[in-house]
Amino acid sequence: MAASQQDTFKIGFALSGAISAGAYTAGVLDYFFQALNAWENVRGQEDVPEHRVDLQVITGASAGAITGALGVVALARGIRPQKLTDEEKRNTHPIPARTPTQDLRCVLPSLYETWVTRPRTVDPAGGIDFLSTEDLDSGKDIPVVSALNAMLLDDIKTQGTSAA
């Protein structure tokens, strides 16, 4: 039986700013879509609610706006669950759990990579990072406006992510 219009919850997100809040919010958005996806996968089974959720708007300030925009782009690419590796499980759950534990790293991998994997203070592989000096060595007469190398953000924007 299909849910009626009055059985639809209409939701909007207003996301706050601040860099670390953006990373946190990206995780919240990812988990929200993970939960909705899991729910859709069991819809129609006995004792599963039939109402709908309609996400109508995502807005935000500063990092919240960026997270919202990146979240929408990642969602347009589709839900793509990324399972934790065995090593990640050992690091995340070092003591055997008595109850089931989270088995997924994320369901929106490009959002995860943009906020978690790519921004690094030091890239162990020697690539561009916040402390590298490409911005100072570019040969361009650009004034220094930050203690961190913001070229990393340009690189993330132009190169995309490997999960794209």
Side-chain angles (χ1 to χ4, degrees), residues 54-121:
D54 184 2
L55 178 60
Q56 296 191 319
V57 66
I58 297 177
T59 188
S62 190
I66 294 168
T67 302
L70 292 172
V72 169
V73 169
L75 189 59
R77 293 177 175 150
I79 299 290
R80 295 182 292 149
Q82 307 292 303
K83 291 196 174 278
L84 292 169
T85 65
D86 289 337
E87 181 181 357
E88 288 171 323
K89 287 179 190 177
R90 283 190 301 276
N91 290 335
T92 306
H93 312 296
I95 300 170
R98 296 176 192 205
T99 59
T101 58
Q102 176 71 14
D103 194 34
L104 297 177
R105 178 184 315 105
C106 62
V107 295
L108 301 173
S110 63
L111 182 62
Y112 180 86
E113 281 200 17
T114 299
W115 275 112
V116 178
T117 306
R118 298 283 310 275
R120 294 179 175 210
T121 304

Side-chain angles (χ1 to χ4, degrees), residues 99-163:
T99 59
T101 58
Q102 176 71 14
D103 194 34
L104 297 177
R105 178 184 315 105
C106 62
V107 295
L108 301 173
S110 63
L111 182 62
Y112 180 86
E113 281 200 17
T114 299
W115 275 112
V116 178
T117 306
R118 298 283 310 275
R120 294 179 175 210
T121 304
V122 175
D123 183 352
I128 189 170
D129 56 48
F130 283 128
L131 294 181
S132 59
T133 60
E134 290 89 354
D135 58 335
L136 301 175
D137 302 334
S138 67
K140 298 177 185 173
D141 190 21
I142 301 172
V144 175
V145 295
S146 174
L148 300 177
N149 181 358
M151 288 180 70
L152 173 61
L153 302 177
D154 289 334
D155 185 61
I156 290 170
K157 177 187 72 170
T158 58
Q159 300 300 317
T161 64
S162 61

Side-chain angles (χ1 to χ4, degrees), residues 32-48:
F32 174 78
F33 289 115
Q34 179 183 343
L36 284 182
N37 186 58
W39 179 32
E40 285 296 325
N41 288 338
V42 295
R43 185 179 298 285
Q45 294 181 13
E46 188 176 335
D47 295 329
V48 175

